[in-house]
């Protein structure tokens, strides 16, 4: 049975760098990498433009983002077991809840916000470190 590694993505280059490191690790260890994106609200909005109707859903957008990143990671790391999904809540809280729910062994986060004012106000990395039910790997992305 393989272990589970979780990484959160938000579409930024730094989050992708952390996800790439997590994918490389999962590929070497044979563990499953779960790529997730957080959405803080359960908003659904219907937008009409001309004769077109668009339904914008926060959870759907988070799923699409994580699926897109997972697909990019699969191309870069063939053979790696990479899944994706959306998590509800603030990023740090969502990552911790997902790790608890899946029994993950590792959460991978980038170091954005670990210096300066971000360190005082909090960052995803520090929020995860303080609450994680498992090991946390902080990737230097800056």
């Amino acid at each position: 049975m393989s272990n589970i590694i979780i990484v959160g993505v938000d579409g930024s280059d730094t989050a992708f760098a952390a996800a790439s490191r997590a994918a490389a690790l999962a590929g070497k260890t044979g563990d499953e990498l779960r790529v997730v994106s957080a959405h803080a609200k359960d908003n659904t909005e219907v937008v009409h433009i001309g004769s077109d109707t668009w339904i914008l859903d926060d959870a759907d957008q988070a799923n699409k983002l994580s699926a897109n990143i997972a697909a990019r990671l699969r191309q870069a790391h063939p053979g790696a077991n990479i899944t994706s999904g959306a998590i509800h809540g603030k990023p740090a809280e969502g990552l911790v809840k997902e790790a608890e729910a899946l029994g993950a062994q590792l959460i991978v986060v980038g170091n954005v916000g670990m210096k300066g004012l971000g360190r005082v106000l909090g960052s995803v990395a520090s929020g995860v470190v303080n609450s994680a039910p498992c090991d946390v790997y902080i990737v230097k992305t800056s």
Side-chain angles (χ1 to χ4, degrees), residues 19 70 81 96 100 103 111 127:
N81 179 11
V96 168
E100 290 170 344
N111 70 332

Side-chain angles (χ1 to χ4, degrees), residues 47-54:
V47 178
H48 300 281
I49 301 173
S51 62
D52 293 332
T53 300
W54 299 83

Side-chain angles (χ1 to χ4, degrees), residues 23-47:
L25 180 62
K28 289 178 183 176
T29 61
D31 294 334
E32 174 188 340
L33 175 62
R34 178 84 172 152
V35 179
V36 295
S37 183
H39 62 100
K41 298 177 182 174
D42 285 323
N43 287 334
T44 300
E45 184 177 347
V46 178
V47 178

Side-chain angles (χ1 to χ4, degrees), residues 97-111:
K97 285 180 186 175
E98 186 79 348
E100 290 170 344
L102 297 178
Q105 284 67 42
L106 182 67
I107 301 172
V108 177
V109 293
N111 70 332

Side-chain angles (χ1 to χ4, degrees), residues 62-78:
N63 268 316
K64 286 179 184 176
L65 173 65
S66 63
N68 180 292
I69 299 296
R72 288 175 58 196
L73 292 171
R74 280 187 214 100
Q75 287 181 342
H77 303 277

Side-chain angles (χ1 to χ4, degrees), residues 109-135:
V109 293
N111 70 332
V112 172
M114 295 292 291
K115 296 180 181 178
L117 188 57
R119 200 172 88 198
V120 175
L121 298 176
S123 67
V124 172
S126 61
V128 169
V129 166
N130 290 325
S131 303
C134 59
D135 293 336

